[in-house]
Amino acid sequence: MAAALPKTYDPAATEARWQRAWEEAGAFHPDPAGPGEPFSVVIPPPNVTGSLHMGHGFETALIDTIVRFQRLQGKNVLCLPGTDHASIAVQTLLEKQLKAQGIPKEELGRDAFLEKAWSWKAESGGTIVGQLRRLGYSVDWQRERFTLDPGLNQAVVEAFLRLHDQGLIYRGEYLVNWCPASGSAVSDLEVEMKELEGHLWHFRYPLTDGPATGGSDHLVVATTRPETMLGDTGVAVHPDDPRYAALVGRTITLPLVGRAIPIVADEHVDPAFGTGCVKVTPAHDPNDFAIGQRHGLPLITVMAKDGTMNAAAGNFAGLDRFEARQAVVAAMEAGGFLVKVEPHRHSVPFSDRGKVPVEPLLSTQWFVRAEPLAARCREALDGGSPRFVPERWEKVYRDWLTDIRDWCISRQLWWGHRIPAWFVVSETGGVITEATPYVVARDAGEAHEKAETAYGEGSRAAGRELQLEQDPDVLDTWFSSGLWPFSTLGWPDPAAADLARWYPTSVLVTGFDIIFFWVARMTMLAGAMEPAGAGQNWMPFADVMIHGLVRDENNRKMSKSAGNGIDPLPLIERYGADALRFALVREVAGAGQDIRLDYDRDRGSSSTVEAARNFANKLWNATRFALMNLGGETPASLGAPDPERLQLADRWILSRLARVSDETAQRYGSYALGEAAKGLYEFAWNEVCDWTIELLKRRLNPRPAAEGEPLSPEALADQRTARQVLAQVLEQLLVLLHPLMPHLSEELWHGLTGAPESTFLALNPWPVPEPGALDAGLEDRFAELIEAIRVVRNLRAVAGLKPSQPAPVLFVTGRADLAATLSEATADITTLTRAESVTVLDPATAAARPAARALAAVSGELQVLLPLEGLVDLDALRARLEKDIAKATKEIQGLGGRLANPNFASKAPPEVVAECRANLAEAETQAALARQRLVDLGG
RNA sequence: GCCCGAUUAGCUCAGCGGUAGAGCGCCUGCCUUACAAGCAGGAUGUCGCUGGUUCGAAACCGGCAUCGGGCACCA
């Protein structure tokens, strides 16, 4: 760093330079055999669906702050980056692109489609990695992973096999959430309920055998989905409902279809809702499916997988499901079966991705038996593992693991991990049906061996040649993401060094929106795989830090579909990555659910980030000041100051530094990152810049006693002490700030220390405070000095003195210790208040002097006087004293009231009572002194 | 329906049992050779409402209100 630094910090070049230097030096590429306690984080892999928004920037800032801190603590830190293939999201996106070009994906074919997907991945993945680099992420890029990498695919296959062998994966025909838009099954979690204004249609279903004795000849059922009536196979009533008791066991004749279907009694029916009769469509509704199971009702599917009606729908075949709804209603009305239509608000399941209503549809899929896996996780949680931060998210996680439903893991998509199951199609006439036997294997060769063993002989006996076909479907993306903490470390290779060294990981940092999708899936799969070996701790992370979601300027959740994502790059370009990181982390202190970033979309500006940029600039200038005042020396060449030579201000800032260093380490270590950032901001700006640097200026630039004379040995020694203190404080401050502002701190640290380019602050040890540096009593004394200086400055402002105009300052106090502090700091007071002279008197001596016409203020037991003959504005003076009196009076009232309460003295802790008494005495003294000043002035 | 949050200065948020805080914004004065992206000084709040616990409540407990989120859903 050159001596003549520019006045403002320009982050762009600096940040790029250090990112390159770190990476080229392999600074964040740890050796599993390296020293230090292991600390590891796998980053939540962003989807390769385009680019990152501010939410990712936020998460990155959090994770990087944590891992950089741990590195400074001397740990052997691995932070592993990567991206996720996001099966359904990417496929949807690509299909949309193809559709725009008028190419159906079937025409393109699976292989060509996958080729396109891979090139998309290269592009999007590249963009994302570029963005992460630009933030200064201290991850190990040499260990970057993608969920479809061969190694990770091997993990997926292995996991599938093991789960299948344990009976935890099964295949079968069930009602699943079918997304007609993507043409695939989706899991329960990918379904979002939306409240919609719909209708409740009441249909008359005639009894097949005419009216019961004295009863009606029909039942009335109500439905929100008329088109499904074509698949009705029953009508249900509550078993205790007297209105229909006589009808149970009889049948009705389904209008439009003509099928006779039974009336069954089922507890599920709420007799108070509607007519108390429910049409039962087991193939198109989960509740009806359950009723159907209980009563042995047949399943009739009337809809095809693209959401149109199928042949079973008779005349309605070929119609889209929503067209069919209109048509069925019209037909029912025409047939006199429509009783009435009511407006009805109800929840409709929508597909997260497809943005269309999902269709409960009967289909053959693969499932993971979730309960045994969840049980293991609940048990671990009972033992406190993992530990959630903030704690309350633990309940959310636990609730989901309780009453969990099986997980549908097959997707009718192309982009993803192919299901490692081979159907022995020769057993079922060359086609795959629900009944086709299959083998699960690591590859085609193993599949053939297994099939040969199981079916070879039988086949040949039947004169058939064994014929295998791999399941065309892929696995739910979250199945591979669920293995991420160990698949990335080399599992299932038992000899993987990274796995041995860094599994389980230390902390997972993620948003509350994917606790179920991801966190729970990882713990469940890890519990089944035991990646560290049987009997070893399998829980994939010790801690789970859950953060809030970044909202846009209108307080809405950012999402791709809403198009309201804030791109971090323009903000980084404008303010610097460090400023953005600092701003984001500083906002998170409360760990609330929302992170609001104030952002002016039109101007591309943010006052929050701007404030952080200003802070960066402040640090830049503080270091600039140091470089101009250290006489060409470095912290190392200067060495530690001689304790004998330390002045009050020196001992104060060194004590504060030691305290802040401890506090900050404690905060970083417990994920209180926002508090760490706020604490450092205040310490650096207020205590280091506003007070320490201002106080050191005089000593750093000593004036000779007379013009032209050399500096005294005393002045030179003091100058050295001042340099030592400044250098030490600044160097350590940069270390403390490094996790939050890595580039700036690295740059300034090199400037300050002159360290070679190949040495990094990023790999430096956390500062160990000088023993005995902490001194609480001294900090209190110094706080009084600061207050005294403030009072003087305020008085000068009230008097309307020009800042450059010197004026005499007189302190009067009866407290010997305070008088001593003020006397010791006379030179400092002179500098900071432009004092012409500083005099400290005790009240007796002061009383003996002729009453000066002076501006006066009273703070505690300290009177501050500015004798300003001829200049004094008496009104301003009186006003100031009145203000002091009012303040003291208010305090006397409050404290007096408390002390007057006998219960307070008897029940409150003695130290609180004592403090209260002392404060009261002080306030009374203050009020008395101020009144006396008024009298002295003839007021 | 069940479960979580949130409600503090104009704005964004800390504080979680001992006399209300920060940043931004606002007002006054300063280009004081580190920094005008700055310096010094200043103003600003019945801490959502309401009961209770306590010597003492912004903080702890109960109720209410408003906003937000999650889970489950009755056709």
Side-chain angles (χ1 to χ4, degrees):
Chain A
M1 199 187 281
L5 287 180
K7 284 170 92 166
T8 54
Y9 171 52
D10 171 27
T14 305
E15 292 181 347
R17 194 169 72 249
W18 289 112
Q19 282 158 17
R20 208 178 316 116
W22 288 325
E23 199 172 332
E24 280 171 7
F28 311 130
H29 176 61
D31 178 354
E37 192 187 321
F39 188 94
S40 57
V41 175
V42 290
I43 80 162
N47 290 345
V48 287
T49 45
S51 57
L52 303 182
H53 57 63
M54 199 57 73
H56 298 101
F58 173 56
E59 190 171 88
T60 298
L62 297 180
I63 297 175
D64 200 49
T65 299
I66 292 168
V67 300
R68 281 184 183 268
F69 168 69
Q70 296 294 346
R71 225 175 260 122
L72 296 172
Q73 293 287 302
K75 305 250 177 89
N76 186 8
V77 176
L78 170 65
C79 187
L80 188 146
T83 45
D84 192 296
H85 68 279
S87 191
I88 194 163
V90 168
Q91 178 147 347
T92 305
L93 187 150
L94 289 175
E95 282 184 33
K96 205 176 279 177
Q97 288 180 4
L98 285 175
K99 204 173 168 188
Q101 297 166 32
I103 313 169
K105 76 170 195 293
E106 288 72 21
E107 191 178 297
L108 198 64
R110 186 167 186 145
D111 290 343
F113 182 87
L114 288 181
E115 230 169 83
K116 275 199 178 298
W118 277 103
S119 69
W120 164 265
K121 182 264 161 185
E123 189 188 324
S124 169
T127 304
I128 289 168
V129 164
Q131 287 177 302
L132 293 178
R133 280 198 161 92
R134 190 65 194 79
L135 280 159
Y137 218 168
S138 65
V139 294
D140 182 1
W141 289 112
Q142 294 180 51
R143 284 186 172 87
E144 185 191 344
R145 297 284 185 269
F146 176 56
T147 48
L148 284 183
D149 283 347
L152 276 71
N153 177 254
Q154 200 193 333
V156 165
V157 169
E158 187 67 27
F160 190 96
L161 241 76
R162 291 197 195 176
L163 288 170
H164 186 263
D165 288 351
Q166 293 172 55
L168 292 169
I169 282 184
Y170 62 92
R171 178 174 184 260
E173 186 178 42
Y174 296 88
L175 211 53
V176 298
N177 301 301
W178 186 265
C179 171
S182 18
S184 173
V186 294
S187 75
D188 294 332
L189 286 178
E190 291 157 278
V191 172
E192 189 190 353
M193 298 306 254
K194 274 194 196 170
E195 284 252 308
L196 289 184
E197 292 297 343
H199 300 278
L200 201 52
W201 284 273
H202 293 249
F203 289 157
R204 178 179 294 127
Y205 280 9
L207 290 161
T208 310
D209 303 323
T213 337
S216 163
D217 65 348
H218 65 268
L219 288 177
V220 175
V221 298
T223 182
T224 55
R225 305 199 49 202
E227 70 281 10
T228 63
M229 63 86 61
L230 302 169
D232 283 1
T233 58
V235 171
V237 297
H238 193 272
D240 302 333
D241 194 332
R243 291 172 296 177
Y244 307 113
L247 299 177
V248 174
R250 299 183 60 182
T251 63
I252 61 103
T253 301
L254 194 58
L256 311 185
V257 180
R259 180 162 64 234
I261 59 176
I263 298 164
V264 299
D266 196 282
E267 299 274 351
H268 170 76
V269 180
D270 175 4
F273 187 90
T275 58
C277 294
V278 185
K279 64 191 268 304
V280 183
T281 324
H284 289 280
D285 181 277
N287 287 310
D288 292 7
F289 182 82
I291 296 175
Q293 294 278 295
R294 287 194 285 271
H295 301 280
L297 302 178
L299 294 142
I300 298 179
T301 298
V302 295
M303 221 176 277
K305 298 204 163 154
D306 59 358
T308 64
M309 307 309 285
N310 68 11
N315 297 336
F316 301 93
L319 290 179
D320 173 78
R321 52 185 169 154
F322 301 109
E323 295 165 4
R325 176 171 303 174
Q326 306 304 322
V328 165
V329 169
M332 289 293 278
E333 188 169 16
F337 298 111
L338 180 65
V339 179
K340 62 172 173 175
V341 188
E342 294 174 326
H344 182 62
R345 192 170 177 78
H346 64 141
S347 303
V348 178
F350 272 70
S351 158
D352 260 357
R353 254 339 133 177
K355 302 293 165 201
V356 297
V358 298
E359 196 58 45
L361 210 62
L362 212 50
S363 80
T364 303
Q365 303 285 346
W366 294 89
F367 297 86
V368 168
R369 222 178 281 285
E371 173 51 27
L373 302 180
R376 196 142 199 230
C377 294
R378 294 196 302 266
E379 204 177 296
L381 193 60
D382 290 338
S385 175
R387 185 173 70 104
F388 279 83
V389 180
E391 213 176 328
R392 65 191 168 87
W393 293 109
E394 176 186 315
K395 186 173 156 51
V396 176
Y397 168 78
R398 183 191 296 278
D399 287 352
W400 191 72
L401 289 172
T402 310
D403 296 324
I404 194 166
R405 281 170 299 182
D406 283 354
W407 173 19
C408 174
I409 51 168
S410 42
R411 297 289 181 274
Q412 288 61 54
L413 302 170
W414 287 348
W415 175 241
H417 292 281
R418 192 94 177 252
I419 294 174
W422 279 260
F423 291 100
V424 189
V425 290
S426 43
E427 295 289 309
T428 49
V431 293
I432 301 171
T433 71
E434 202 213 343
T436 310
Y438 62 85
V439 292
V440 169
R442 289 177 180 79
D443 52 46
E446 190 181 299
H448 273 98
E449 284 169 32
K450 285 188 170 179
E452 175 60 34
T453 311
Y455 303 100
E457 216 165 294
S459 284
R460 277 187 295 279
R464 293 191 300 264
E465 195 182 330
L466 201 61
Q467 193 190 342
L468 296 189
E469 200 176 311
Q470 187 176 4
D471 192 316
D473 293 345
V474 301
L475 287 165
D476 181 7
T477 304
W478 297 103
F479 189 90
S480 61
S481 313
L483 307 172
W484 184 252
F486 41 99
S487 63
T488 52
L489 296 177
W491 186 88
D493 177 3
D498 287 359
L499 190 70
R501 178 63 163 167
W502 286 297
Y503 189 89
T505 67
S506 308
V507 59
L508 176 80
V509 180
T510 195
F512 62 82
D513 54 332
I514 53 174
I515 290 176
F516 309 143
F517 277 115
W518 196 43
V519 180
R521 259 80 179 262
M522 285 191 281
T523 59
M524 286 164 67
L525 289 173
M529 295 304 126
E530 303 206 23
Q536 302 297 306
N537 178 19
W538 51 266
M539 186 56 70
F541 20 74
D543 297 339
V544 179
M545 181 199 178
I546 299 291
H547 62 246
L549 266 28
V550 182
R551 324 299 292 209
D552 73 356
E553 66 276 23
N554 299 314
N555 203 21
R556 287 174 316 188
K557 200 190 280 192
M558 283 189 204
S559 75
K560 288 228 169 60
S561 49
N564 65 337
I566 299 175
D567 182 354
L569 279 181
L571 282 172
I572 290 177
E573 277 157 20
R574 182 165 181 155
Y575 301 112
D578 284 343
L580 179 63
R581 293 167 55 122
F582 192 85
L584 289 169
V585 175
R586 193 160 177 254
E587 285 303 301
V588 77
Q593 248 173 243
D594 302 333
I595 314 302
R596 256 167 286 235
L597 181 71
D598 76 59
Y599 178 64
D600 186 326
R601 201 173 282 269
D602 296 332
R603 294 187 191 161
S605 64
S606 159
S607 64
T608 307
V609 185
E610 188 178 319
R613 187 273 315 261
N614 292 351
F615 179 55
N617 190 235
K618 188 75 183 172
L619 295 164
W620 171 265
N621 275 292
T623 307
R624 199 161 79 97
F625 171 81
L627 292 175
M628 294 162 79
N629 286 280
L630 291 181
E633 299 219 57
T634 66
S637 73
L638 284 162
D642 174 0
E644 296 296 311
R645 298 211 63 95
L646 291 177
Q647 298 199 5
L648 185 64
D650 301 335
R651 280 179 283 135
W652 171 70
I653 195 63
L654 292 174
S655 176
R656 289 293 304 141
L657 177 66
R659 196 176 301 284
V660 169
S661 173
D662 286 349
E663 263 173 19
T664 305
Q666 200 278 329
R667 287 169 175 168
Y668 281 143
S670 59
Y671 313 117
L673 308 182
E675 280 179 49
K678 280 182 193 183
L680 286 174
Y681 181 95
E682 282 168 26
F683 175 69
W685 200 308
N686 302 333
E687 301 185 49
V688 175
C689 293
D690 290 348
W691 289 97
T692 302
I693 289 185
E694 290 308 319
L695 284 167
L696 289 177
K697 274 180 180 170
R698 172 177 55 81
R699 295 156 58 200
L700 290 165
N701 290 300
R703 298 277 155 94
E707 202 67 36
E709 276 184 32
L711 291 168
S712 68
E714 179 60 28
L716 285 170
D718 186 46
Q719 182 189 44
R720 184 163 186 84
T721 303
R723 284 176 175 173
Q724 288 166 324
V725 170
L726 176 62
Q728 187 179 336
V729 169
L730 207 52
E731 186 185 10
Q732 293 193 14
L733 176 62
L734 291 173
V735 184
L736 306 192
L737 280 164
H738 181 261
L740 294 159
M741 308 186 110
H743 311 89
L744 176 71
S745 56
E746 188 75 76
E747 171 81 1
L748 296 180
W749 184 80
H750 274 84
L752 191 64
T753 61
E757 286 270 328
S758 55
T759 306
F760 297 114
L761 169 61
L763 302 175
N764 236 41
W766 190 260
V768 181
E770 296 285 328
L774 277 180
D775 187 340
L778 181 97
E779 288 178 37
D780 291 343
R781 278 178 66 198
F782 203 82
E784 287 190 314
L785 173 61
I786 286 177
E787 177 57 21
I789 290 171
R790 285 223 163 98
V791 173
V792 176
R793 284 170 167 175
N794 174 258
L795 275 184
R796 289 181 54 105
V798 168
L801 283 180
K802 287 206 161 152
S804 53
Q805 185 182 345
V809 174
L810 188 63
F811 293 114
V812 180
T813 181
R815 263 182 54 204
D817 61 328
L818 180 54
T821 301
L822 293 169
S823 300
E824 189 181 344
T826 299
D828 291 335
I829 295 166
T830 304
T831 311
L832 295 186
T833 64
R834 284 275 174 158
E836 186 180 288
S837 62
V838 175
T839 315
V840 183
L841 298 175
D842 64 41
T845 315
R849 292 199 165 191
R853 285 174 63 83
L855 261 176
V858 180
S859 166
E861 290 165 71
L862 176 71
Q863 282 177 274
V864 180
L865 304 166
L866 250 57
L868 296 168
E869 286 302 334
L871 272 174
V872 175
D873 174 348
L874 277 179
D875 289 337
L877 171 54
R878 287 197 192 91
R880 170 69 218 212
L881 285 167
E882 299 284 4
K883 195 181 142 193
D884 290 339
I885 293 168
K887 198 179 154 203
T889 307
K890 197 181 156 196
E891 211 174 322
I892 291 165
Q893 279 171 355
L895 293 167
R898 278 163 76 185
L899 285 163
N901 183 341
N903 286 326
F904 177 67
S906 60
K907 296 195 179 170
E911 62 271 20
V912 172
V913 179
E915 193 191 334
C916 197
R917 288 223 169 85
N919 288 344
L920 179 62
E922 196 182 302
E924 278 167 346
T925 309
Q926 175 165 357
L929 290 172
R931 285 203 184 89
Q932 187 56 47
R933 289 302 315 168
L934 270 181
V935 171
D936 289 350
L937 291 160

